[in-house]
Amino acid sequence: MDTQGVTADPQLQQFIEVESQKERFQQLVHQMTDVCWEKCMDKPGPKLDSRTETCFVNCVERFIDTSQFILNRLEQTQRGRGSLSESMSD
Amino acid sequence: MDSFGSDFSSGAAGSGKMDSGTIMEQVKVQIAVANAQELLQRMTDKCFKKCVGKPGGSLDNSEQKCIAMCMDRYMDAWNTVSRAYNSRLQRERARI
């Protein structure tokens, strides 16, 4: 998003950047809570027991690891290792 | 605070005198509302799936109890995820 043409006001520009970043964070929290609920939650009880809580924490970490893995792999593939399916077979 | 459907711009915008401070406040409110709606939407989806079996003529007591507990657990989960994600981000930034 090019904000240069939209506003010359540096305060407004910074506000937009800060709020955008906060919103990206919130969106990912929504998404990960959704995905990890499916993986970690059995029957909702009177409280979040420590096993379930640990599952959620691990889930967040592994989700981010997965995202980074995919980005790295994609970058490797584009650096001339041929097609995506070729690089999968090592 | 106004209801979700209210038109925030009806006042100052009409006179063409909205300063950036007002805009920023209104944007913050709208973002907060959007996040609350997203949370509610996902919570409803999850808790309906967990708590309501074959839909009957009304929500019985056990279903209502389940939904109430589910809401609390969803909030707990959301907060746990938020904290974990924040920690991870800080760790990543410390590495750079």
Side-chain angles (χ1 to χ4, degrees), chain B residues 9-74:
Chain B
S9 62
S10 56
S15 65
K17 277 195 198 155
M18 267 213 293
D19 60 76
S20 62
T22 312
I23 294 174
M24 291 195 280
E25 280 316 300
Q26 289 187 358
V27 167
K28 277 188 181 172
V29 169
Q30 289 179 352
I31 289 174
V33 166
N35 272 316
Q37 285 179 339
E38 173 118 36
L39 185 68
L40 248 47
Q41 202 170 61
R42 293 188 192 240
M43 183 190 279
T44 302
D45 182 75
K46 294 304 177 197
C47 295
F48 184 81
K49 282 184 179 138
K50 286 280 184 201
C51 294
V52 181
K54 201 108 183 188
S58 67
L59 289 176
D60 64 45
N61 273 331
S62 66
E63 284 170 333
Q64 289 185 33
K65 253 186 79 176
C66 178
I67 292 167
M69 270 202 300
C70 177
M71 288 173 66
D72 291 345
R73 298 296 78 73
Y74 194 84

Side-chain angles (χ1 to χ4, degrees), chain B residues 76-87:
Chain B
D76 290 342
W78 200 96
N79 287 329
T80 302
V81 168
S82 181
R83 277 195 306 266
Y85 184 38
N86 202 35
S87 299

Side-chain angles (χ1 to χ4, degrees), chain A residues 30-80:
Chain A
H30 283 310
Q31 190 188 352
M32 286 192 286
T33 303
D34 193 306
V35 157
C36 296
W37 178 274
E38 295 304 324
K39 291 197 177 293
C40 294
M41 205 64 180
D42 310 309
K43 195 93 182 156
K47 71 178 200 70
L48 208 66
D49 66 50
S50 62
R51 198 171 54 120
T52 311
E53 185 167 356
T54 304
C55 181
F56 274 102
V57 173
N58 288 337
C59 181
V60 169
E61 297 282 343
R62 300 297 76 76
F63 185 94
I64 295 167
D65 289 344
T66 304
S67 175
Q68 288 178 343
F69 183 92
I70 287 170
L71 284 172
N72 289 335
R73 203 73 196 244
L74 212 59
E75 192 191 1
Q76 283 173 25
T77 324
Q78 287 185 346
R79 265 202 249 117

Side-chain angles (χ1 to χ4, degrees), chain A residues 8-20:
Chain A
D9 181 351
Q11 195 192 16
L12 204 50
Q13 188 143 344
Q14 190 192 33
F15 169 79
I16 290 169
E17 280 170 24
V18 167
E19 289 303 314
S20 297

